[in-house]
Amino acid sequence: MKIAAVGVHVLDTHVIGVESIPAGSDGQLVETIRMSAAGTAGGTALVLSRLGAEVTSYGAVGTDPIADVLLALLTREGVDVSGLVRKDEHQTSSSVIPVRPNGDRPAWHCIGANGAFTLDDLPPSAFDAVTHLHLGGPEFLGGEAAGQLLGKARAAGAVTSLDILAPGDPDMLAWVADALPHTDYLLPNDEQVLGFTGASSLAEGARALVDAGAGCVAVTQGARGALVVTADEVIEVPAYAVEVVDTTGCGDAFSAGFLRGLSLGRDLRGAAELGCAAAAQVAGGLGTDAGSYSLDSVVAFAAEAERR
């Protein structure tokens, strides 16, 4: 699997044990502060690399220290970051995620250089010998440009996948609609599907997105696992039980595991199971790079969970 991960790259700063925002200029001790590479392209790229894929990231970052950290974290995981262009006039996209004791995780986010990324930032070599192209955050490009990108990738023989970052809204779906007919696998969450379509059920909403052009819609449902819908079938896969530390990045991990499973010849159910198992690794730690999981360990985790 040789994949181009294109689009949103973010540096996340997780803060564990935030009970409240201190009043005035007061301070508060917390349990942990940790940085990790994230984003619908960046986080997915990281997990794909851990699962044995050959990954090159494409997108935009700044020339600030945030970019230095983000590039170092991705490089340490084996991701080729040569496709990430640096823009002097924009800061690198970053989020601060305070995690409350009950698991709630509000966030502060700066769009930064992600909003300045265009197709002109992609070198012609981006499509050289890739088997897959994953676009995270098509809303920043717009549907027409996203459709052009995915169409070129398909013409070059690549499997295409798409993950929308923005919350579910019919206007947002209309904004990126031109990309759907060029998308083999659409990877939204349940709230997005219902918000995009106004459907009364998740299966109905996913089927509407298939009707809009996506070849397959694989929906994450948090603790309920995943739902995979095509024109011919509906497959539900439960989540794996795990002691949850932080769910940030679980959707990106599912996307990575699902796509990697397909590349290894698994059917849709088997790919979704690998996606759920990858998401479980991330839920049990802080960030997509928590722990030291690999393809073998994730497969072993899923097999052991099935035996229990």
Side-chain angles (χ1 to χ4, degrees), residues 4 19 27 52 73 78 83 85 91 95 114 123 206 211 221 270:
E19 296 178 356
L73 290 172
V85 298
Q91 80 148 79
S95 294
N114 284 325
D211 292 341
Q221 305 180 83

Side-chain angles (χ1 to χ4, degrees), residues 120-137:
D120 291 337
D121 293 316
L122 280 173
S125 61
F127 303 107
D128 288 353
V130 296
T131 60
H132 295 70
L133 185 140
H134 176 72
L135 175 58

Side-chain angles (χ1 to χ4, degrees), residues 47-305:
V47 180
L48 278 165
S49 185
R50 284 203 172 183
L51 298 180
E54 181 182 344
V55 188
T56 302
S57 274
Y58 295 93
V61 297
T63 56
D64 50 8
I66 299 175
D68 297 339
V69 174
L70 177 57
L71 295 176
L73 290 172
L74 288 169
T75 299
R76 186 173 70 183
E77 296 292 342
V79 176
D80 181 349
V81 298
S82 61
L84 290 171
V85 298
R86 304 192 71 160
K87 295 182 178 282
D88 290 326
E89 66 276 22
H90 297 277
Q91 80 148 79
T92 303
S93 181
S94 184
S95 294
V96 177
I97 304 168
V99 182
R100 297 186 177 119
N102 67 356
D104 288 346
R105 51 182 184 95
W108 292 284
H109 178 67
C110 179
I111 291 173
N114 284 325
F117 176 66
T118 70
L119 294 186
D120 291 337
D121 293 316
L122 280 173
S125 61
F127 303 107
D128 288 353
V130 296
T131 60
H132 295 70
L133 185 140
H134 176 72
L135 175 58
E139 57 269 35
F140 292 107
L141 290 175
E144 183 178 355
Q148 291 174 8
L149 171 62
L150 296 172
K152 287 181 180 178
R154 265 187 169 177
V159 174
T160 61
S161 53
L162 187 68
D163 187 0
I164 302 170
L165 182 62
D169 181 273
D171 290 338
M172 179 55 64
L173 181 62
W175 175 243
V176 301
D178 287 349
L180 296 185
H182 306 282
T183 301
D184 293 315
Y185 299 99
L186 179 62
L187 302 160
N189 62 41
D190 49 358
E191 293 180 354
Q192 287 175 319
V193 169
L194 297 177
F196 288 148
T197 64
S200 59
S201 73
L202 201 55
E204 177 188 338
R207 183 61 56 79
L209 294 172
V210 170
D211 292 341
C216 172
V217 179
V219 189
T220 55
Q221 305 180 83
R224 296 187 301 278
L227 186 76
V228 182
V229 177
T230 69
D232 301 317
E233 57 185 333
V234 176
I235 302 166
E236 189 148 15
V237 174
Y240 292 94
V242 65
E243 185 175 344
V244 175
V245 174
D246 177 25
T247 59
T248 307
C250 286
D252 301 329
F254 172 83
S255 295
F258 179 75
L259 296 171
R260 185 66 174 125
L262 293 172
S263 78
L264 293 169
R266 291 189 174 212
D267 61 13
L268 291 174
R269 180 178 296 279
E273 289 171 347
L274 186 61
C276 288
Q281 314 308 302
V282 172
L286 281 182
T288 50
D289 58 350
S292 58
Y293 60 88
S294 64
L295 177 61
D296 288 344
S297 70
V298 173
V299 170
F301 165 84
E304 177 61 26

